[in-house]
């Protein structure tokens, strides 16, 4: 069975999508439409902007989404048996599988990005990658820091867990992780504490936006970050999509469930190869490739 997987924030690179735009008439039309919907030339930033310009949350999220969604829409034999997206990638997966229209998906992604950027400004905060420790040990470290917000945010693969929280909390957690034997405790260059309680203001805004958007049943199950199970029920999908902003991304568990349900062939749809690497670490026998 074939599973399509969609990357999240961090997969962006200068020049992303340019080749697609220049080689495919349908892709060109969709990129032009995106510029119109957003009211600024995101295609220009994607194709010719610097890494610094692409790093801003309100640019990064729609840029990664557009690269992924347009790639899926212009691939002739795109027939997923199942799909999943890492964080923001979940919205790309929903558009690719027909649960959301391209236009509605882009509007939601942009609203999500603006709401998250705003939440970051209210609560200055950050994230860090902890490498080489058991998940349970990292969870214990987070729980032991009671005076600050620190939580497990991204279960990327065994031995790689990203934590999220206040600046001070992350600093303390990194120290404790090193003391506990972590290979590395690496602060990440992100705008704030994504997938933590500090994203609550953004979650409330996204909830309103999702409530007023039309969803249809996807053509295949979507393995969502929050539940880790293949979902096709629209009510459940919407609920999980809202919860995702303040809940951890359970990527390891999602991939394990996809494998258990028959996925052996994972195709990454979007910029970069990060997810292909993670899938290989989660399940060595999996076949991985990119579109």
């Amino acid at each position: 069975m074939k599973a399509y997987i969609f990357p999240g924030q961090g997969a962006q690179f200068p020049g992303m999508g340019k080749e697609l735009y220049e080689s495919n008439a349908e892709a060109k039309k969709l990129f032009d439409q995106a510029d119109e919907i957003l009211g600024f030339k995101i295609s220009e930033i994607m194709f010719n902007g610097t890494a610094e310009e692409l790093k801003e949350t309100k640019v990064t999220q729609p840029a990664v989404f557009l690269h992924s969604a347009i790639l899926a829409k212009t691939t002739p034999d795109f027939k997923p048996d199942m799909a999943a997206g890492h964080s923001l990638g979940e919205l790309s997966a929903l558009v690719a599988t027909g649960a959301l229209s391209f236009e509605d998906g882009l509007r939601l992604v942009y609203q999500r990005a603006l709401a998250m950027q705003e939440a970051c400004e209210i609560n200055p905060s950050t994230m860090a990658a902890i490498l080489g420790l058991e998940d349970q040990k990292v969870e214990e470290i987070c729980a032991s820091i009671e005076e600050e917000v620190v939580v497990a945010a991204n279960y990327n693969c065994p031995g790689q867990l990203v934590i999220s929280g206040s600046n001070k909390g992350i600093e303390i957690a990194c120290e404790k992780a090193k003391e506990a034997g972590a290979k590395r405790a690496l602060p990440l260059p992100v705008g704030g504490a994504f997938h933590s309680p500090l994203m609550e203001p953004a979650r409330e805004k996204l909830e309103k936006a999702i409530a007023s958007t039309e969803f249809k049943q996807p053509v295949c199950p979507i393995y969502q970050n929050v539940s880790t199970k293949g979902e096709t029920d629209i009510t459940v999908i919407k609920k999980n999509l809202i919860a995702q902003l303040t809940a951890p991304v359970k990527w390891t568990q999602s991939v394990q469930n996809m494998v258990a349900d028959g996925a052996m062939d994972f195709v990454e749809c979007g910029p970069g190869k990060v997810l292909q690497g993670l899938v290989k670490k989660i399940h060595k026998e999996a076949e991985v490739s990119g579109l």
Side-chain angles (χ1 to χ4, degrees):
M1 289 175 90
K2 191 176 272 194
Y4 282 86
I5 49 177
F6 297 82
Q9 201 160 336
Q12 71 277 5
F13 63 89
M16 61 191 284
K18 191 174 185 184
E19 202 182 311
L20 190 57
Y21 181 88
E22 288 170 352
S23 64
N24 188 298
E26 175 65 10
K28 182 181 186 302
K29 204 172 87 183
L30 290 167
F31 275 115
D32 291 344
Q33 190 184 353
D35 288 345
E36 214 167 285
I37 290 169
L38 295 177
F40 68 95
K41 278 203 169 297
I42 190 159
S43 60
E44 182 60 35
I45 302 172
M46 288 170 72
F47 307 158
N48 304 310
T50 62
E52 200 53 42
E53 287 171 301
L54 272 172
K55 210 172 72 178
E56 205 181 350
T57 295
K58 67 177 183 188
V59 173
T60 314
Q61 293 197 19
V64 172
F65 163 83
L66 285 171
H67 194 288
S68 295
I70 293 173
L71 202 50
K73 282 192 157 300
T74 55
T75 297
D77 54 351
F78 183 79
K79 288 190 177 67
D81 297 307
M82 49 182 90
H86 190 289
S87 185
L88 154 78
E90 204 163 89
L91 280 153
S92 312
L94 289 167
V95 168
T97 57
L100 278 171
S101 72
F102 174 73
E103 298 85 349
D104 284 343
L106 177 57
R107 285 190 189 99
L108 272 185
V109 166
Y110 193 50
Q111 284 170 299
R112 179 185 190 269
L114 291 175
M116 285 170 82
Q117 197 151 320
E118 213 172 283
C120 295
E121 285 156 16
I122 298 167
N123 296 305
S125 50
T126 192
M127 299 174 87
I130 310 297
L131 308 182
L133 273 189
E134 294 278 321
D135 289 352
Q136 195 185 339
K137 186 67 199 161
V138 181
E139 289 164 356
E140 282 169 16
I141 288 168
C142 291
S144 73
I145 304 165
E146 290 172 3
E147 67 281 10
E148 296 286 339
V149 174
V150 195
V151 295
N154 296 350
Y155 292 79
N156 284 336
C157 66
Q160 189 190 123
L161 209 169
V162 173
I163 58 172
S164 190
S166 65
N167 292 337
K168 182 75 180 152
I170 293 295
E171 200 183 306
I172 299 167
C174 284
E175 282 308 312
K176 289 194 173 200
K178 284 176 194 160
E179 284 164 20
K183 282 185 196 149
R184 299 185 76 182
L186 198 68
L188 298 176
V190 292
F194 304 143
H195 304 290
S196 84
L198 296 175
M199 284 293 117
E200 183 56 33
R203 192 195 66 76
E204 287 168 10
K205 285 192 170 167
L206 189 68
E207 187 166 14
K208 283 182 188 150
I210 285 172
S212 60
T213 302
E214 187 193 353
F215 280 70
K216 293 182 177 141
Q217 193 172 335
V219 296
C220 67
I222 308 289
Y223 286 70
Q224 289 188 279
N225 296 172
V226 169
S227 70
T228 77
K229 298 197 274 291
E231 311 288 6
T232 52
D233 182 312
I234 297 165
T235 313
V236 176
I237 286 172
K238 285 161 85 167
K239 191 175 87 192
N240 286 338
L241 202 54
I242 295 160
Q244 193 220 68
L245 281 192
T246 52
V249 171
K250 294 182 177 171
W251 187 251
T252 302
Q253 300 87 326
S254 300
V255 171
Q256 285 166 341
N257 285 339
M258 291 165 101
V259 169
D261 292 344
M264 272 312 284
D265 188 0
F266 287 81
V267 183
E268 184 162 8
C269 184
K273 294 181 177 179
V274 172
L275 298 184
Q276 293 172 59
L278 295 182
V279 168
K280 269 298 198 195
K281 285 178 181 155
I282 296 163
H283 189 73
K284 287 183 182 65
E285 288 76 45
E287 290 291 322
V288 299
S289 59
L291 271 184

